Amino acid sequence: MCIHIHDAQDHPPICIYITHNPESSKFSTKLKLNSRENQGAMATEVANKKVVLKRYIERGETPTESIMELVTAEAITLKVPEASPPAVLVKNLYLSCDPYGRFIMSRPEEGIKITSAPPNSPVRGYGVAKVVDSTHPDFKAGDYLWGITFWEEYSLITPTEFNFKINHTDVPLSYYAGLLGMPGLTAYVGFHEISSPKKGELVFVSAASGAVGQLVGQFAKLMGCYVVGSAGSDEKVNLLKNKLGFDNAFNYKKESDLGAALKRYFPEGIDIYFDNVGGAMLDAVLCNMRLGGRVTVCGMISQYNLKALEGVHNLLSIIGNCVRVQGFTVGQYLHLYRDFEEKVVNYVKEGKITYLEDVAEGLEAAPAAFVGLFEGKNIGKKLVVVAREQ
Amino acid sequence: MCIHIHDAQDHPPICIYITHNPESSKFSTKLKLNSRENQGAMATEVANKKVVLKRYIERGETPTESIMELVTAEAITLKVPEASPPAVLVKNLYLSCDPYGRFIMSRPEEGIKITSAPPNSPVRGYGVAKVVDSTHPDFKAGDYLWGITFWEEYSLITPTEFNFKINHTDVPLSYYAGLLGMPGLTAYVGFHEISSPKKGELVFVSAASGAVGQLVGQFAKLMGCYVVGSAGSDEKVNLLKNKLGFDNAFNYKKESDLGAALKRYFPEGIDIYFDNVGGAMLDAVLCNMRLGGRVTVCGMISQYNLKALEGVHNLLSIIGNCVRVQGFTVGQYLHLYRDFEEKVVNYVKEGKITYLEDVAEGLEAAPAAFVGLFEGKNIGKKLVVVAREQ
């Protein structure tokens, strides 16, 4: 006998198996959470609020909230449809706001390898979610996962290589939208795999209080490097120096000559530049690299809203200094995720890593949170709480 | 008894030892070429024609012959001075004309790591020479060497890591100013060590008929790559396709849209770009790289005479395509020279490598030869014959 219990909220049904043993004349019970086999007929339909892209962001356009719309009318059945390929139906908890999301919201363009999400569909991006129903062998109902999801309360995801089960629920789940998720892996790969760091090297990080930058600086400190970061406000600079352990930091908006600023902090030059901004900062850095230096290009947020990209003028200097400039996307390094997760979870538990989050409450706050990235409004990792659930 | 024999030319003295054996009453003779111990007092003084830099080439200036001057009055003693540190006195045979020589002739500038040769001194550069006298343990009179020397008939060189004894005199000596010297090692290191080539990859080389480019293309073919080169005349394009074994080639001056030209030859994109020119070509290539592509930046001749360097606008594309852009100077890889020499000498002897030389006769032809580099006048490796000697 199986009894299904539903609560008033949108939680998935709970099954209790009751077994009668004729020999002992006793009943035993077995709780099975979200057993797919037994909930088929009982799947609930709930409203599913979502943030929909109204139209593509055009080249040269600065994103505004008006390109997105909160849609509340749609309903969803909390069950993977029978005809679907292996998939999970999730309840979204935390959504990540990332500058690269601009490409997802842009008209597909030659040379840009990110697949756009078309208008009238919910915004796509990384997030943390709880599995409500699953036909995918890697996930079962009740699991938490992080990876590609959508800006809505519930999402049907056909997991690809971009979804990972969350192994550690004794750290804040939101960390899997940042420190332990895509931005964390990005910082880890970009620094440890691509920048070829050595103890004592001189490291410069731009957008240093952002989701990725704050971690690069801390990974570099853990390796015994000297680390300076740049950010766009005195408040951020203060956090870098006093909370995130950077050796020094400066507000690039207050510097009339970026090259001179870099010379001040790096009189002997820079070994590693972790570039999140591109443009004028990259140009200034190129003239300040040491022999054998490495420029790891993770992002170029200063360029994303420009109609025509700024020219970088100082590439000639990479010859004399034997400098390596390496661009990357984290998608090429997902095979390193589990190693990274174990290492960084331990850092967190040992108090070796601090992670700043900048939290927006509610799906309705998501458009402004995203738009704010391009104005430097976020301090730390920008994320949106859709629902809190343990 | 020792007899010194001098000829009318400027050849170093020859010693003949004559030994008398009292038992047999016979004389035996032993020829000792250029024995330092026995020629001290006999050192000859000869005229030493040289090309002197009259003034620095200024930023933004296109080099002209007028910045150099042929000086004929000076004399030199064909002997390393007694007080000198270990040195060799050489007779220069072949001098190499290299675009990077412009930096040697320029006012020292911050960020450029090449030491200038000051005005009123002979031009410095790579060359092939015969040792006349030596106090350096690596060289003895009669040896041939290649490496840093000066634009004059005889030079006193304090050998550093930039001078190598020539091990193979059964190939043309001039090859040590090109194929088997600095440009050859540059091509070898840039392709094999830096470009990380794999069989079947798609390779593009600019300035492809030049000293370095022609070899990169041939090294790539030997590895089983598909190779296309660009050059600045139909004659050079013809040589690339019909003599140097490139799969294809094009005249970049005839292309109004470099990006479109590259798409024609690389519809699937480029794995390796070996950049000798920088500027607009680099920009066009950046939009045509494949995932994981490599741009090896060896030179940027299109930029050397500009007052302000051109901006490169398409660096953003290195992120999505995980492209590595690596600058280098061959000076960091001199430890690979002997391996390279053995391998490439064998290629030459087996007929696997063709090397185009563009020879100017006489020291007096050197200024025009150098200036011509920036007009694309040379076809193949530009070198100056100061003297031919076997």
Side-chain angles (χ1 to χ4, degrees), chain A residues 108-140:
Chain A
E109 206 174 322
E110 206 182 12
I112 304 284
K113 294 282 194 295
I114 296 170
T115 314
S116 298
N120 299 319
S121 62
V123 171
R124 192 177 76 227
Y126 286 91
V128 176
K130 185 170 186 176
V131 178
V132 173
D133 185 32
S134 171
T135 57
H136 192 285
D138 292 353
F139 305 96
K140 65 177 196 306

mmCIF file of all heavy atoms in Angstrom, chain A residues 108-140:
data_model
loop_
_atom_site.group_PDB
_atom_site.id
_atom_site.type_symbol
_atom_site.label_atom_id
_atom_site.label_comp_id
_atom_site.label_asym_id
_atom_site.label_seq_id
_atom_site.Cartn_x
_atom_site.Cartn_y
_atom_site.Cartn_z
ATOM 1 N N PRO A 108 22.116 36.449 -32.384
ATOM 2 C CA PRO A 108 23.267 35.580 -32.695
ATOM 3 C C PRO A 108 24.198 36.293 -33.663
ATOM 4 O O PRO A 108 23.744 36.898 -34.627
ATOM 5 C CB PRO A 108 22.616 34.363 -33.357
ATOM 6 C CG PRO A 108 21.198 34.386 -32.910
ATOM 7 C CD PRO A 108 20.839 35.831 -32.702
ATOM 8 N N GLU A 109 25.483 36.212 -33.385
ATOM 9 C CA GLU A 109 26.443 36.974 -34.181
ATOM 10 C C GLU A 109 27.590 36.068 -34.567
ATOM 11 O O GLU A 109 28.041 35.249 -33.755
ATOM 12 C CB GLU A 109 26.968 38.132 -33.323
ATOM 13 C CG GLU A 109 27.437 39.313 -34.114
ATOM 14 C CD GLU A 109 27.796 40.475 -33.189
ATOM 15 O OE1 GLU A 109 27.103 40.686 -32.176
ATOM 16 O OE2 GLU A 109 28.788 41.148 -33.485
ATOM 17 N N GLU A 110 28.056 36.273 -35.758
ATOM 18 C CA GLU A 110 29.176 35.480 -36.238
ATOM 19 C C GLU A 110 30.391 35.710 -35.346
ATOM 20 O O GLU A 110 30.653 36.837 -34.935
ATOM 21 C CB GLU A 110 29.511 35.909 -37.664
ATOM 22 C CG GLU A 110 30.174 34.821 -38.458
ATOM 23 C CD GLU A 110 30.533 35.316 -39.852
ATOM 24 O OE1 GLU A 110 30.475 36.531 -40.087
ATOM 25 O OE2 GLU A 110 30.873 34.481 -40.670
ATOM 26 N N GLY A 111 31.081 34.656 -35.036
ATOM 27 C CA GLY A 111 32.302 34.797 -34.247
ATOM 28 C C GLY A 111 32.071 34.648 -32.754
ATOM 29 O O GLY A 111 32.985 34.342 -32.022
ATOM 30 N N ILE A 112 30.838 34.920 -32.297
ATOM 31 C CA ILE A 112 30.530 34.732 -30.875
ATOM 32 C C ILE A 112 29.921 33.338 -30.740
ATOM 33 O O ILE A 112 28.910 33.032 -31.363
ATOM 34 C CB ILE A 112 29.528 35.801 -30.377
ATOM 35 C CG1 ILE A 112 30.049 37.214 -30.646
ATOM 36 C CG2 ILE A 112 29.193 35.588 -28.905
ATOM 37 C CD1 ILE A 112 31.117 37.708 -29.737
ATOM 38 N N LYS A 113 30.576 32.517 -29.931
ATOM 39 C CA LYS A 113 30.191 31.105 -29.917
ATOM 40 C C LYS A 113 29.101 30.766 -28.882
ATOM 41 O O LYS A 113 28.826 29.606 -28.653
ATOM 42 C CB LYS A 113 31.432 30.239 -29.617
ATOM 43 C CG LYS A 113 32.507 30.280 -30.702
ATOM 44 C CD LYS A 113 32.135 29.409 -31.883
ATOM 45 C CE LYS A 113 33.297 29.135 -32.825
ATOM 46 N NZ LYS A 113 33.799 30.332 -33.501
ATOM 47 N N ILE A 114 28.499 31.794 -28.279
ATOM 48 C CA ILE A 114 27.467 31.523 -27.280
ATOM 49 C C ILE A 114 26.101 31.507 -27.964
ATOM 50 O O ILE A 114 25.759 32.414 -28.722
ATOM 51 C CB ILE A 114 27.509 32.594 -26.172
ATOM 52 C CG1 ILE A 114 28.843 32.515 -25.433
ATOM 53 C CG2 ILE A 114 26.347 32.411 -25.196
ATOM 54 C CD1 ILE A 114 29.093 33.662 -24.481
ATOM 55 N N THR A 115 25.333 30.440 -27.702
ATOM 56 C CA THR A 115 24.008 30.332 -28.301
ATOM 57 C C THR A 115 23.054 31.292 -27.608
ATOM 58 O O THR A 115 22.937 31.292 -26.391
ATOM 59 C CB THR A 115 23.473 28.892 -28.139
ATOM 60 O OG1 THR A 115 24.523 27.991 -28.493
ATOM 61 C CG2 THR A 115 22.265 28.658 -29.013
ATOM 62 N N SER A 116 22.389 32.090 -28.390
ATOM 63 C CA SER A 116 21.429 33.027 -27.815
ATOM 64 C C SER A 116 20.186 32.284 -27.355
ATOM 65 O O SER A 116 19.843 31.219 -27.875
ATOM 66 C CB SER A 116 21.023 34.065 -28.866
ATOM 67 O OG SER A 116 22.143 34.804 -29.273
ATOM 68 N N ALA A 117 19.493 32.853 -26.362
ATOM 69 C CA ALA A 117 18.157 32.387 -26.001
ATOM 70 C C ALA A 117 17.192 33.339 -26.694
ATOM 71 O O ALA A 117 17.289 34.548 -26.510
ATOM 72 C CB ALA A 117 17.983 32.426 -24.494
ATOM 73 N N PRO A 118 16.288 32.840 -27.506
ATOM 74 C CA PRO A 118 15.477 33.746 -28.327
ATOM 75 C C PRO A 118 14.456 34.540 -27.505
ATOM 76 O O PRO A 118 14.066 34.114 -26.418
ATOM 77 C CB PRO A 118 14.768 32.789 -29.292
ATOM 78 C CG PRO A 118 14.784 31.467 -28.617
ATOM 79 C CD PRO A 118 15.982 31.434 -27.741
ATOM 80 N N PRO A 119 14.044 35.686 -28.006
ATOM 81 C CA PRO A 119 13.015 36.468 -27.340
ATOM 82 C C PRO A 119 11.770 35.624 -27.071
ATOM 83 O O PRO A 119 11.492 34.648 -27.774
ATOM 84 C CB PRO A 119 12.718 37.587 -28.341
ATOM 85 C CG PRO A 119 13.996 37.774 -29.057
ATOM 86 C CD PRO A 119 14.571 36.398 -29.194
ATOM 87 N N ASN A 120 11.035 36.026 -26.055
ATOM 88 C CA ASN A 120 9.806 35.352 -25.605
ATOM 89 C C ASN A 120 10.082 34.030 -24.890
ATOM 90 O O ASN A 120 9.163 33.280 -24.608
ATOM 91 C CB ASN A 120 8.818 35.137 -26.759
ATOM 92 C CG ASN A 120 8.405 36.462 -27.360
ATOM 93 O OD1 ASN A 120 8.179 37.429 -26.624
ATOM 94 N ND2 ASN A 120 8.360 36.540 -28.675
ATOM 95 N N SER A 121 11.360 33.730 -24.638
ATOM 96 C CA SER A 121 11.668 32.581 -23.788
ATOM 97 C C SER A 121 12.317 33.118 -22.515
ATOM 98 O O SER A 121 12.854 34.229 -22.505
ATOM 99 C CB SER A 121 12.596 31.603 -24.508
ATOM 100 O OG SER A 121 13.821 32.222 -24.810
ATOM 101 N N PRO A 122 12.245 32.331 -21.427
ATOM 102 C CA PRO A 122 12.870 32.822 -20.190
ATOM 103 C C PRO A 122 14.380 32.949 -20.354
ATOM 104 O O PRO A 122 15.004 32.197 -21.108
ATOM 105 C CB PRO A 122 12.514 31.757 -19.154
ATOM 106 C CG PRO A 122 12.048 30.581 -19.911
ATOM 107 C CD PRO A 122 11.593 31.037 -21.254
ATOM 108 N N VAL A 123 14.930 33.888 -19.644
ATOM 109 C CA VAL A 123 16.373 34.118 -19.676
ATOM 110 C C VAL A 123 17.090 32.849 -19.218
ATOM 111 O O VAL A 123 16.639 32.156 -18.308
ATOM 112 C CB VAL A 123 16.730 35.308 -18.752
ATOM 113 C CG1 VAL A 123 18.230 35.439 -18.584
ATOM 114 C CG2 VAL A 123 16.117 36.597 -19.306
ATOM 115 N N ARG A 124 18.204 32.546 -19.876
ATOM 116 C CA ARG A 124 18.964 31.353 -19.510
ATOM 117 C C ARG A 124 20.220 31.764 -18.745
ATOM 118 O O ARG A 124 20.791 32.827 -19.004
ATOM 119 C CB ARG A 124 19.375 30.600 -20.777
ATOM 120 C CG ARG A 124 19.918 29.208 -20.505
ATOM 121 C CD ARG A 124 20.239 28.482 -21.793
ATOM 122 N NE ARG A 124 21.477 28.979 -22.355
ATOM 123 C CZ ARG A 124 21.628 29.318 -23.643
ATOM 124 N NH1 ARG A 124 20.630 29.225 -24.489
ATOM 125 N NH2 ARG A 124 22.779 29.775 -24.103
ATOM 126 N N GLY A 125 20.615 30.918 -17.804
ATOM 127 C CA GLY A 125 21.838 31.226 -17.070
ATOM 128 C C GLY A 125 22.117 30.163 -16.022
ATOM 129 O O GLY A 125 21.399 29.161 -15.930
ATOM 130 N N TYR A 126 23.167 30.378 -15.265
ATOM 131 C CA TYR A 126 23.516 29.416 -14.220
ATOM 132 C C TYR A 126 22.671 29.650 -12.976
ATOM 133 O O TYR A 126 22.254 30.782 -12.692
ATOM 134 C CB TYR A 126 24.993 29.538 -13.848
ATOM 135 C CG TYR A 126 25.894 28.951 -14.906
ATOM 136 C CD1 TYR A 126 26.390 29.734 -15.938
ATOM 137 C CD2 TYR A 126 26.212 27.599 -14.872
ATOM 138 C CE1 TYR A 126 27.202 29.194 -16.917
ATOM 139 C CE2 TYR A 126 27.035 27.048 -15.852
ATOM 140 C CZ TYR A 126 27.527 27.849 -16.871
ATOM 141 O OH TYR A 126 28.317 27.300 -17.843
ATOM 142 N N GLY A 127 22.416 28.579 -12.248
ATOM 143 C CA GLY A 127 21.660 28.709 -11.023
ATOM 144 C C GLY A 127 21.787 27.463 -10.162
ATOM 145 O O GLY A 127 22.440 26.479 -10.539
ATOM 146 N N VAL A 128 21.158 27.552 -8.999
ATOM 147 C CA VAL A 128 21.101 26.439 -8.054
ATOM 148 C C VAL A 128 19.635 26.052 -7.913
ATOM 149 O O VAL A 128 18.780 26.935 -7.780
ATOM 150 C CB VAL A 128 21.662 26.865 -6.679
ATOM 151 C CG1 VAL A 128 21.513 25.739 -5.666
ATOM 152 C CG2 VAL A 128 23.126 27.293 -6.818
ATOM 153 N N ALA A 129 19.355 24.776 -7.951
ATOM 154 C CA ALA A 129 17.954 24.353 -7.951
ATOM 155 C C ALA A 129 17.798 23.045 -7.191
ATOM 156 O O ALA A 129 18.769 22.313 -6.964
ATOM 157 C CB ALA A 129 17.462 24.195 -9.390
ATOM 158 N N LYS A 130 16.548 22.759 -6.823
ATOM 159 C CA LYS A 130 16.239 21.480 -6.171
ATOM 160 C C LYS A 130 15.440 20.637 -7.158
ATOM 161 O O LYS A 130 14.498 21.125 -7.802
ATOM 162 C CB LYS A 130 15.416 21.738 -4.909
ATOM 163 C CG LYS A 130 15.145 20.490 -4.104
ATOM 164 C CD LYS A 130 14.544 20.808 -2.758
ATOM 165 C CE LYS A 130 14.420 19.531 -1.917
ATOM 166 N NZ LYS A 130 13.917 19.848 -0.571
ATOM 167 N N VAL A 131 15.803 19.367 -7.220
ATOM 168 C CA VAL A 131 15.140 18.486 -8.184
ATOM 169 C C VAL A 131 13.777 18.076 -7.640
ATOM 170 O O VAL A 131 13.650 17.569 -6.515
ATOM 171 C CB VAL A 131 16.005 17.236 -8.455
ATOM 172 C CG1 VAL A 131 15.290 16.287 -9.416
ATOM 173 C CG2 VAL A 131 17.369 17.649 -9.012
ATOM 174 N N VAL A 132 12.744 18.331 -8.441
ATOM 175 C CA VAL A 132 11.371 17.952 -8.071
ATOM 176 C C VAL A 132 11.045 16.608 -8.697
ATOM 177 O O VAL A 132 10.430 15.749 -8.071
ATOM 178 C CB VAL A 132 10.388 19.042 -8.569
ATOM 179 C CG1 VAL A 132 8.950 18.602 -8.345
ATOM 180 C CG2 VAL A 132 10.674 20.360 -7.876
ATOM 181 N N ASP A 133 11.459 16.426 -9.910
ATOM 182 C CA ASP A 133 11.199 15.160 -10.618
ATOM 183 C C ASP A 133 12.361 14.941 -11.588
ATOM 184 O O ASP A 133 12.955 15.902 -12.085
ATOM 185 C CB ASP A 133 9.871 15.247 -11.371
ATOM 186 C CG ASP A 133 9.489 13.906 -12.016
ATOM 187 O OD1 ASP A 133 9.850 12.844 -11.435
ATOM 188 O OD2 ASP A 133 8.858 13.921 -13.089
ATOM 189 N N SER A 134 12.676 13.679 -11.838
ATOM 190 C CA SER A 134 13.822 13.404 -12.707
ATOM 191 C C SER A 134 13.640 12.117 -13.474
ATOM 192 O O SER A 134 13.144 11.113 -12.940
ATOM 193 C CB SER A 134 15.101 13.315 -11.869
ATOM 194 O OG SER A 134 16.176 12.857 -12.659
ATOM 195 N N THR A 135 14.003 12.142 -14.725
ATOM 196 C CA THR A 135 14.133 10.891 -15.492
ATOM 197 C C THR A 135 15.590 10.728 -15.926
ATOM 198 O O THR A 135 15.896 9.932 -16.801
ATOM 199 C CB THR A 135 13.236 10.918 -16.746
ATOM 200 O OG1 THR A 135 13.578 12.064 -17.530
ATOM 201 C CG2 THR A 135 11.766 10.968 -16.374
ATOM 202 N N HIS A 136 16.451 11.515 -15.330
ATOM 203 C CA HIS A 136 17.878 11.466 -15.682
ATOM 204 C C HIS A 136 18.620 10.668 -14.619
ATOM 205 O O HIS A 136 18.428 10.904 -13.424
ATOM 206 C CB HIS A 136 18.438 12.889 -15.761
ATOM 207 C CG HIS A 136 19.801 12.943 -16.389
ATOM 208 N ND1 HIS A 136 20.924 12.537 -15.723
ATOM 209 C CD2 HIS A 136 20.194 13.341 -17.626
ATOM 210 C CE1 HIS A 136 21.972 12.682 -16.537
ATOM 211 N NE2 HIS A 136 21.552 13.172 -17.689
ATOM 212 N N PRO A 137 19.454 9.725 -15.026
ATOM 213 C CA PRO A 137 20.099 8.844 -14.040
ATOM 214 C C PRO A 137 20.996 9.583 -13.040
ATOM 215 O O PRO A 137 21.224 9.070 -11.947
ATOM 216 C CB PRO A 137 20.922 7.879 -14.910
ATOM 217 C CG PRO A 137 21.061 8.558 -16.246
ATOM 218 C CD PRO A 137 19.829 9.387 -16.411
ATOM 219 N N ASP A 138 21.508 10.733 -13.378
ATOM 220 C CA ASP A 138 22.415 11.435 -12.472
ATOM 221 C C ASP A 138 21.701 12.175 -11.345
ATOM 222 O O ASP A 138 22.345 12.645 -10.404
ATOM 223 C CB ASP A 138 23.257 12.466 -13.238
ATOM 224 C CG ASP A 138 24.242 11.808 -14.188
ATOM 225 O OD1 ASP A 138 24.350 10.567 -14.148
ATOM 226 O OD2 ASP A 138 24.870 12.534 -14.975
ATOM 227 N N PHE A 139 20.384 12.328 -11.467
ATOM 228 C CA PHE A 139 19.660 13.153 -10.498
ATOM 229 C C PHE A 139 18.390 12.430 -10.055
ATOM 230 O O PHE A 139 17.728 11.772 -10.858
ATOM 231 C CB PHE A 139 19.274 14.504 -11.131
ATOM 232 C CG PHE A 139 20.444 15.249 -11.697
ATOM 233 C CD1 PHE A 139 20.762 15.155 -13.047
ATOM 234 C CD2 PHE A 139 21.249 16.039 -10.874
ATOM 235 C CE1 PHE A 139 21.850 15.836 -13.576
ATOM 236 C CE2 PHE A 139 22.342 16.722 -11.398
ATOM 237 C CZ PHE A 139 22.649 16.626 -12.744
ATOM 238 N N LYS A 140 18.073 12.624 -8.784
ATOM 239 C CA LYS A 140 16.786 12.104 -8.321
ATOM 240 C C LYS A 140 16.069 13.214 -7.551
ATOM 241 O O LYS A 140 16.707 14.188 -7.111
ATOM 242 C CB LYS A 140 16.978 10.842 -7.475
ATOM 243 C CG LYS A 140 17.711 11.030 -6.161
ATOM 244 C CD LYS A 140 17.761 9.712 -5.397
ATOM 245 C CE LYS A 140 18.136 9.916 -3.938
ATOM 246 N NZ LYS A 140 19.386 10.660 -3.717
#
